[in-house]
Amino acid sequence: MTLSKALKTAFLAASVAFPAGAVGAAELNIYTTREPALIQPLLDAFTTDSGIKVNTVFLKDGLAERVLSEGASSPADVLMTVDAGNLVDLVEKGVTQPVQSDVLTKNIPAELRDAKGNWFALSMRARVLYASKDVDLSAFNYEDLADPKWKGKVCIRSGQHPYNTALFADYIAHHGVEATEKWLAGVKDNLARKAGGGDRDVAKDILGGICDIGIANSYYVGLMRSGKGGEEQVKWGEAIKVILPTFKDGGTQVNVSGAAVAKNAPNRDEAVKLLEYLASGAAQKIYAEANYEYPVNKSAEVDQIIASFGELKIDSKPLTEIVSHRKQASELVDKVGFDN
């Protein structure tokens, strides 16, 4: 099935209730918080390749709570979600089990998977800099967001949004709490408008002359420039240049979508096969095409729009370490009045 045809049929399979007896050896069951249209092409390709049928249940919220309530009789084999913090939460709530797989170890870098094999990243989005094409800028450090030369020129969404608390948590991992508080206060002083809106609003406001630079996710640029967000958003995407910022002592901050094998998975072997398939070059290419995300498998091609940003140097801080600072990051956002 082609990607376009798969996307057309994705919504038809978006929130399927498991049929009776859907725990056979030729089937597996996914609980997912990912938008169905983004994963269905991958599941269709897996079924074609393996002969294993995949049943999905879409859960916008409460994934771990659903599995916990079902207990040992839960039909869930694979748990799929977005954001490293959510993956770590699944482990902390005791609904995953460790997996040892040479395929997964080979295809997914160590900093993008749990050290004990409880979860694995399957795609990435980078926290990048959107900049006006009128700004003479070819490189950028996250630390520079607090430089007074950008006073009144920075746009960003709410500091309490998970995309930003993840970035701020990474800053803590690099520089500590005290330095991060000072930096956040400096970024707030540089804001051109109140922190808020969405990532695409950063591009919109740069086009409108409200700000010169802003922090946002990489994949939104693909959605805008490709036309998937509509004609108006094409103008937003074309109004900016994208720079892959880094920490002065590290790389570019990334967040992930990922998956884990459920603790009581009835079809564990099939679940592992699915994860291995999703980490393969072929599946990673579909991820890149469907949502303009970065593949975690280095052998997979990056979409041309995203590749135009240059080579991505992933920050070396393990996602589990970054996630451990989320609460501190959130507290600092409130302490400096970032969203006020």
Side-chain angles (χ1 to χ4, degrees):
M1 180 180 287
T2 65
L3 177 63
S4 60
K5 186 176 180 181
L7 287 172
K8 288 178 183 178
T9 61
F11 288 102
L12 297 177
S15 186
V16 180
F18 293 146
V23 291
E27 298 188 18
L28 65 86
N29 307 316
I30 295 180
Y31 283 7
T32 175
T33 65
R34 291 226 73 183
E35 290 295 335
L38 302 180
I39 64 169
Q40 195 61 44
L42 294 154
L43 304 182
D44 290 341
F46 172 71
T47 297
T48 298
D49 185 65
S50 67
I52 299 172
K53 180 183 177 183
V54 181
N55 308 299
T56 62
V57 163
F58 174 57
L59 300 165
K60 186 175 181 180
D61 299 301
L63 175 60
E65 289 72 19
R66 169 77 173 263
V67 178
L68 284 169
S69 69
E70 293 170 342
S73 61
S74 174
D77 294 304
V78 173
L79 310 177
M80 189 175 290
T81 191
V82 179
D83 187 79
N86 290 331
L87 290 166
V88 171
D89 285 345
L90 293 177
V91 179
E92 292 178 348
K93 290 177 180 177
V95 296
T96 66
Q97 62 172 288
V99 170
Q100 301 300 322
S101 164
D102 291 340
V103 173
L104 294 173
T105 299
K106 176 184 177 182
N107 289 341
I108 302 175
E111 64 269 22
L112 298 176
R113 50 185 162 84
D114 178 59
K116 295 182 179 180
N118 279 289
W119 58 262
F120 300 87
L122 297 172
S123 65
M124 298 181 291
R125 62 282 303 275
R127 205 76 181 132
V128 301
L129 188 82
Y130 293 2
S132 168
K133 291 183 176 179
D134 295 331
V135 175
D136 184 16
L137 196 64
S138 59
F140 197 84
N141 295 126
Y142 293 112
E143 290 86 349
D144 295 335
L145 282 170
D147 190 321
K149 79 175 186 177
W150 298 113
K151 189 172 182 65
K153 298 179 180 180
V154 177
C155 285
I156 195 169
R157 75 191 306 161
S158 167
Q160 288 293 5
H161 191 280
Y163 294 165
N164 282 332
T165 53
L167 172 62
F168 304 160
D170 203 353
Y171 202 99
I172 292 173
H174 280 275
H175 299 296
V177 174
E178 185 177 343
T180 303
E181 180 182 345
K182 182 179 179 180
W183 174 74
L184 278 175
V187 178
K188 175 180 167 55
D189 287 343
N190 286 344
L191 295 181
R193 56 160 172 78
K194 181 179 178 179
D199 280 4
R200 278 178 272 202
D201 289 315
V202 173
K204 177 184 178 182
D205 289 346
I206 288 174
L207 174 62
I210 295 173
C211 43
D212 288 345
I213 62 172
I215 292 292
N217 273 353
S218 53
Y219 71 92
Y220 285 116
V221 182
L223 294 173
M224 289 187 290
R225 290 182 181 173
S226 68
K228 287 186 177 181
E231 235 177 84
E232 186 179 17
Q233 291 188 18
V234 173
K235 296 177 183 178
W236 304 350
E238 291 179 346
I240 62 172
K241 56 185 174 183
V242 180
I243 296 170
L244 295 174
T246 61
F247 289 99
K248 289 182 178 179
D249 63 344
T252 300
Q253 195 263 334
V254 300
N255 210 328
V256 300
S257 71
V261 174
K263 180 179 180 180
N264 297 302
N267 306 300
R268 185 185 188 279
D269 291 346
E270 287 74 19
V272 174
K273 287 180 182 178
L274 175 62
L275 294 190
E276 291 176 342
Y277 174 79
L278 294 177
S280 70
Q284 290 284 297
K285 186 173 185 293
I286 296 176
Y287 264 120
E289 292 174 343
N291 199 40
Y292 304 98
E293 294 179 292
Y294 282 100
V296 296
N297 186 328
K298 293 181 179 180
S299 71
E301 293 181 18
V302 179
D303 180 86
Q304 290 184 351
I305 294 175
I306 305 303
S308 70
F309 306 159
E311 183 179 357
L312 175 66
K313 178 188 175 185
I314 302 170
D315 191 43
S316 59
K317 294 292 182 182
L319 290 175
T320 48
E321 179 183 351
I322 295 169
V323 167
S324 71
H325 295 297
R326 283 180 304 165
K327 183 179 179 182
Q328 291 171 306
S330 177
E331 291 171 346
L332 289 180
V333 168
D334 286 343
K335 187 175 182 180
V336 303
F338 194 87
D339 289 347
N340 296 340

